[in-house]
């Protein structure tokens, strides 16, 4: 089995794959989709809707070099024309593996996903660091005071 298809199958078993047009569209609208995957033999109408989903959810999309049957086999269905990877790690790994085969076609998407993965990793680390500081008695966040209350306090 192909390593990219194997990775998509792992994502499916991990619950990080929305399979089918409706679940993938819902993942895109919820901005949970990291990479929208489209089978190479998907209908033109499906491709048009997938582009719209990706634009709405501000996610990246790729037309895979696999048929609907191949994509369906790894996702637990008979056929699957559209799937959404919701985990940045799986999405980045899949794009990197596709990029190794065809740099011209998948390279830019792989680079963009890699940058997104780095930013997500940095945000997670900053959040963990912040949580550690709070537990250790570090600087406590100041309570929120609306601007109009601050102005009223200055005027009096």
């Amino acid at each position: 089995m192909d390593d990219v298809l194997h990775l998509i199958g792992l994502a499916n078993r991990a619950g990080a794959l929305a399979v089918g047009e409706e679940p993938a569209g819902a993942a895109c609208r919820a901005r949970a989709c990291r990479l929208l995957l489209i089978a190479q033999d998907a209908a033109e109408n499906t491709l048009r809707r997938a582009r719209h989903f990706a634009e709405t959810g501000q996610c990246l999309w790729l037309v895979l070099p696999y048929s609907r049957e191949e994509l369906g086999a790894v996702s637990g269905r008979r056929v699957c024309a559209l799937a959404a990877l919701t985990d940045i790690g799986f999405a980045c790994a899949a794009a990197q593996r596709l990029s190794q085969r065809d740099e011209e076609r998948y390279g830019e998407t792989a680079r963009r996903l890699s940058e997104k993965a780095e930013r997500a990793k940095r945000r997670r680390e900053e959040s963990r660091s912040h949580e550690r500081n709070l537990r250790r008695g570090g600087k406590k966040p100041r309570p929120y005071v609306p601007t109009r209350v601050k102005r009223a306090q200055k005027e009096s």
Side-chain angles (χ1 to χ4, degrees):
M1 182 191 289
D2 190 318
D3 60 339
V4 178
L5 287 174
H6 181 70
L7 191 66
I8 294 169
L10 282 175
N12 186 38
R13 288 188 290 278
L17 186 71
V19 181
E21 192 170 316
E22 285 302 314
C28 288
R29 284 189 297 276
R31 295 183 187 243
C33 178
R34 302 294 171 241
L35 182 63
L36 191 61
L37 305 172
I38 307 163
Q40 72 178 359
D41 58 348
E44 188 62 37
N45 202 23
T46 301
L47 187 60
R48 181 182 54 79
R49 281 195 298 270
R51 287 182 186 150
H52 177 72
F53 291 153
E55 183 181 301
T56 301
Q58 296 178 347
C59 65
L60 300 171
W61 59 276
L62 289 175
V63 175
L64 297 173
Y66 308 111
S67 68
R68 295 178 313 154
E69 289 79 17
E70 291 172 310
L71 191 56
V74 297
S75 61
R77 298 201 174 180
R78 192 171 56 80
V79 293
C80 172
L82 195 61
L85 283 168
T86 57
D87 181 79
I88 191 71
F90 280 121
C92 187
Q96 289 294 334
R97 289 181 183 169
L98 286 168
S99 173
Q100 289 172 353
R101 290 190 198 152
D102 189 353
E103 175 67 31
E104 185 178 316
R105 187 171 176 188
Y106 302 112
E108 178 62 26
T109 302
R111 280 188 289 283
R112 290 177 63 191
L113 272 171
S114 184
E115 290 170 7
K116 283 185 174 194
E118 283 298 316
R119 284 195 306 266
K121 182 180 177 185
R122 215 172 341 172
R123 282 192 305 269
R124 278 194 310 272
E125 289 171 356
E126 289 171 357
S127 176
R128 287 182 191 139
S129 175
H130 178 69
E131 290 297 320
R132 268 194 310 271
N133 284 341
L134 289 177
R135 277 189 305 236
R136 289 181 184 159
K139 201 174 196 180
K140 301 227 187 292
R142 293 188 301 188
Y144 173 72
V145 179
T147 307
R148 61 187 153 170
V149 173
K150 289 178 186 177
R151 286 187 195 139
Q153 289 172 351
K154 284 182 182 179
E155 292 173 0
S156 30

